Amino acid sequence: GDSVTQMEGPVTLSEEAFLTINCTYTATGYPSLFWYVQYPGEGLQLLLKATKADDKGSNKGFEATYRKETTSFHLEKGSVQVSDSAVYFCALSEGVGNTGKLIFGQGTTLQVKP
Amino acid sequence: DAGVIQSPRHEVTEMGQEVTLRCKPISGHDYLFWYRQTMMRGLELLIYFNNNVPIDDSGMPEDRFSAKMPNASFSTLKIQPSEPRDSAVYFCASSPGTSADTQYFGPGTRLTVL
């Protein structure tokens, strides 16, 4: 079945460092891809998404490009801040059947130190 | 819009007691999802509804768990009897419904079963 694999955390960076969190997927059909972020004590919220191959999603300085050839959707940010410390989840939608159901990766914890 | 509303935000109960978690989705959303999050198992989809009808409950751990959606603006997740291993954060999310659509998460209910 469909699945998402993220790099294991925690990822610890200094402020202003470059961030990459790897995400690869296995899917049938043509899924949409998502990055969600969860700040401490809160629910998940959408960070960015891409709905077709070669689309780039971006928000708050974060970017990810839908790469069909490598089945990847890596999250990047050029300069992280302490306020970016959170858990990041990669997810894909079930393209077959258009169910609206999301398949989530296990989450990657990011810690940014001043 | 107020977003997805969950109640209570925190629940502490004793083993064997019945627990009911409540969710009000965003108006106009056709899909409603119940998730459970723990350190050990991460984020798990328990059940989801489309237009108030349960579509997939394969994630419900056992018969002690049940979920209902009597109308488009209200859903409940019930655990009876509760056990310490049910301690987790339970999230409700809603979505307009297509595979490209974002799921909007509530703030969660932190359940502790003593």
Side-chain angles (χ1 to χ4, degrees):
Chain A
D2 295 358
S3 66
V4 175
T5 302
Q6 293 180 230
M7 65 187 286
E8 294 218 7
V11 174
T12 303
L13 296 173
S14 298
E15 208 165 21
E16 299 185 3
F18 184 86
L19 168 71
T20 300
I21 300 178
N22 290 337
C23 171
T24 57
Y25 67 91
T26 303
T28 54
Y30 303 95
S32 295
L33 300 175
F34 304 79
W35 277 102
Y36 280 79
V37 60
Q38 184 180 29
Y39 298 103
E42 298 184 11
L44 281 71
Q45 56 185 276
L46 178 71
L47 180 59
L48 54 84
K49 70 178 182 182
T51 58
K52 61 183 188 296
D54 300 325
D55 270 2
K56 177 185 284 189
S58 62
N59 186 26
K60 300 180 182 179
F62 291 88
E63 293 183 339
T65 301
Y66 188 163
R67 301 285 189 199
K68 194 168 185 290
E69 64 276 12
T70 55
T71 61
S72 65
F73 193 55
H74 303 321
L75 182 68
E76 296 182 337
K77 186 175 186 183
S79 175
V80 294
Q81 306 299 313
V82 172
S83 57
D84 294 326
S85 298
V87 182
Y88 292 81
F89 292 88
C90 184
L92 64 81
S93 64
E94 278 195 336
V96 177
N98 203 29
T99 65
K101 177 180 174 181
L102 292 180
I103 308 296
F104 284 91
Q106 71 270 36
T108 302
T109 299
L110 170 65
Q111 289 182 323
V112 180
K113 298 190 173 181
Chain B
D1 200 318
V4 175
I5 299 172
Q6 291 187 247
S7 64
R9 292 295 310 276
H10 302 275
E11 176 81 31
V12 180
T13 191
E14 294 190 346
M15 184 173 62
Q17 296 298 305
E18 178 180 293
V19 175
T20 300
L21 311 181
R22 296 173 176 80
C23 175
K24 176 179 169 56
I26 293 172
S27 177
H29 283 190
D30 290 338
Y31 282 81
L32 184 139
F33 305 83
W34 281 102
Y35 293 90
R36 178 172 68 175
Q37 186 177 40
T38 61
M39 290 292 292
M40 291 296 293
R41 300 175 68 91
L43 189 67
E44 303 173 275
L45 176 64
L46 300 178
I47 185 171
Y48 73 99
F49 296 82
N50 178 22
N51 292 322
N52 313 336
V53 176
I55 302 301
D56 182 355
D57 65 354
S58 59
M60 296 285 262
E62 49 199 273
D63 291 345
R64 297 185 298 106
F65 286 69
S66 61
K68 294 182 180 179
M69 193 165 185
N71 57 62
S73 58
F74 184 66
S75 177
T76 59
L77 177 67
K78 186 175 292 188
I79 308 172
Q80 166 64 18
S82 58
E83 296 183 3
R85 60 192 167 121
D86 301 331
S87 297
V89 181
Y90 291 82
F91 290 104
C92 175
S94 69
S95 166
T98 72
S99 61
D101 283 323
T102 301
Q103 285 188 18
Y104 294 83
F105 281 73
T109 295
R110 182 173 294 276
L111 173 65
T112 302
V113 183
L114 302 175

